[in-house]
Amino acid sequence: MSKVDEITRENWILGAFPEWGTWLNEEIDAEKVEKGTVAMWWLGCTGIWVKSEGNANIAIDLWFGNGKRTKKKPYMDEYHQMRNMTGGRLMQPNLRAMPIVYDPFAVTTVDAVLSTHYHNDHIDPFFAAAVLKNCKDDVPFIGPLESVNKWLSYGVPKERCKIVKPGDVVKVKDVEIVVLDSFDRTCIVTAEKPLAGICPTDMDDKAVNYLIKTPGGNIYHSGDSHYSVYYAKHGKDHKIDVAFGSYGENPAGNQDKMTSVDILRMAEALQTEVVIPFHYDVWTNFKADPAEIMMLYNFKKHVLDYKFKPFIWDVGGKFIYPNDKDKLQYHYRRGFEDCFADEPNVPFRSVL
């Protein structure tokens, strides 16, 4: 039988996805974090992997699903959060724009699984299943009430789940996780009922932000938070070295992501040293160019005397704090460091 006769859709999927295979899994596992530093990787959307010098591995908002896959359903569900927010009916064209760079089923070690909120691109059944099967039987699943409810619906044992709210502190090896207020106003209008005239009081059950305090630096993860003046309170109460903010190009009639101006305002208010935009990578209908943040930063940094720097990352990339704190933009490893280790196999040198 010829090769093409043996090929099926199933072995194509198994042979081609995830697109990076276990490359990034192996990189994270092998990383030896130097004393006085903290390593982090961007896994797409707001998914961040943090590794401390004490070998604490913290997975935040990892997600290995996708968005729309067919045009056959023309309208959003009646109480979908985007329909609640905008009053629009048409199905939003949110296809996943970036590849999945980490193989969840190849996870070997994680010390805590965190979710900022329960929207499907911030919590993941595949990773939950892999952690339960591959990792130690005491790895906690940490999140607000509604995230825990979603984990329970997946089948994560209740004793493995920890409900947190702003003000809580959780210790994991040499890392301290401080739970802070969320400003995710899309999450607050996620409800299966009419909301007009109702004052919501359940934000803390739905969404939180996290400050990940490590010996090498403190990382602020804002989930899907919008801009809030209360960032200044968080900045006054806590030392923040690296801050992540959800950035995107909001379609008309929608306010779901922070703009370039909001990202700079957030960084200033938090008194962070580095601000890194994320989430702009994943949805085709919210795609944005982070170069806009850099352009505004350069326009305003002197007159406003900014004390922070933006860092423009790529999915799958590594960032070491404080070693990389003065870098402005990421580039994947280019390779060929060992060029001319051997004489090139060419007919003559003038080919080169």
Side-chain angles (χ1 to χ4, degrees):
M1 183 180 290
S2 68
K3 186 174 181 66
V4 293
D5 290 329
E6 296 173 353
I7 291 175
T8 65
R9 184 176 186 272
E10 286 69 28
N11 59 33
W12 164 61
I13 291 170
L14 290 173
F17 301 97
E19 291 91 333
W20 283 30
T22 59
W23 178 282
L24 192 57
N25 299 64
E26 296 164 24
E27 178 180 316
I28 293 172
D29 285 351
E31 183 74 19
K32 304 296 183 185
V33 181
E34 296 177 2
K35 187 174 178 61
T37 72
V38 57
M40 57 203 89
W41 291 262
W42 185 18
L43 273 60
C45 196
T46 67
I48 299 294
W49 191 289
V50 177
K51 192 169 187 178
S52 73
E53 65 180 53
N55 206 38
N57 286 273
I58 312 295
I60 311 167
D61 276 9
L62 267 55
W63 169 63
F64 302 100
N66 45 43
K68 299 302 177 289
R69 296 167 58 90
T70 177
K71 289 189 172 185
K72 293 177 182 177
K73 184 178 178 181
Y75 301 109
M76 290 183 278
D77 293 338
E78 182 180 7
Y79 289 114
H80 189 279
Q81 62 265 22
M82 290 301 184
R83 186 164 179 171
N84 288 347
M85 174 187 284
T86 67
R89 300 175 182 175
L90 293 175
M91 183 63 71
Q92 62 163 328
N94 61 322
L95 290 81
R96 183 164 186 153
M98 288 297 292
I100 293 171
V101 297
Y102 183 93
D103 185 344
F105 291 97
V107 64
T108 59
T109 301
V110 68
D111 295 293
V113 180
L114 275 61
S115 169
T116 59
H117 64 292
Y118 64 109
H119 286 165
N120 286 336
D121 52 342
H122 299 264
I123 190 168
D124 189 74
F126 305 110
F127 190 62
V131 169
L132 292 175
K133 293 172 183 176
N134 296 5
C135 302
K136 293 181 179 178
D137 60 8
D138 60 351
V139 175
F141 290 73
I142 300 168
L145 173 64
E146 293 300 336
S147 289
V148 167
N149 285 340
K150 183 153 282 190
W151 276 319
L152 293 174
S153 75
Y154 298 156
V156 177
K158 185 176 181 180
E159 61 271 17
R160 298 285 294 274
C161 297
K162 182 173 182 59
I163 298 170
V164 293
K165 62 184 184 303
D168 289 344
V169 177
V170 181
K171 186 79 173 176
V172 179
K173 289 186 174 177
D174 62 341
V175 170
E176 189 174 84
I177 301 165
V178 180
V179 186
L180 299 171
D181 316 83
S182 171
F183 312 115
D184 183 353
R185 292 184 279 278
T186 304
C187 206
I188 204 66
V189 300
T190 302
E192 297 289 325
K193 62 182 180 181
L195 294 173
I198 298 173
C199 182
T201 59
D202 57 352
M203 174 63 100
D204 293 347
D205 292 336
K206 290 183 169 185
V208 297
N209 291 356
Y210 293 110
L211 182 65
I212 312 300
K213 299 176 71 174
T214 81
N218 296 343
I219 302 158
Y220 184 93
H221 193 296
S222 64
D224 264 358
S225 287
H226 299 69
Y227 182 75
S228 171
V229 295
Y230 208 79
Y231 280 131
K233 173 65 170 169
H234 288 176
K236 287 194 170 196
D237 288 349
H238 305 279
K239 181 181 184 297
I240 298 170
D241 298 303
V242 179
F244 293 100
S246 282
Y247 166 60
E249 194 67 60
N250 296 296
N254 186 293
Q255 183 61 51
D256 187 55
K257 300 287 178 285
M258 284 191 280
T259 67
S260 52
V261 173
D262 295 330
I263 291 291
L264 296 179
R265 292 183 71 200
M266 179 189 78
E268 183 180 31
L270 290 174
Q271 301 181 51
T272 187
E273 191 166 358
V274 180
V275 64
I276 304 178
F278 57 6
H279 211 322
Y280 65 88
D281 66 298
V282 71
W283 295 131
T284 52
N285 59 330
F286 281 89
K287 283 281 286 182
D289 189 342
E292 180 182 316
I293 296 171
M294 192 61 68
M295 178 186 70
L296 282 173
Y297 172 80
N298 287 325
F299 182 77
K300 301 170 78 169
K301 65 182 179 181
H302 296 301
V303 69
L304 295 183
D305 194 24
Y306 283 153
K307 306 299 184 186
F308 64 89
K309 291 182 178 179
F311 178 71
I312 309 306
W313 217 356
D314 281 312
V315 174
K318 179 173 68 175
F319 182 86
I320 304 290
Y321 181 85
N323 301 16
D324 297 333
K325 66 183 177 63
D326 292 322
K327 293 183 178 180
L328 298 176
Q329 189 167 0
Y330 179 82
H331 197 293
Y332 297 109
R333 177 187 160 204
R334 301 179 70 194
F336 301 99
E337 301 91 347
D338 63 341
C339 61
F340 298 106
D342 295 319
E343 187 66 22
N345 182 25
V346 295
F348 36 82
R349 290 181 182 174
S350 58
V351 169
L352 306 174

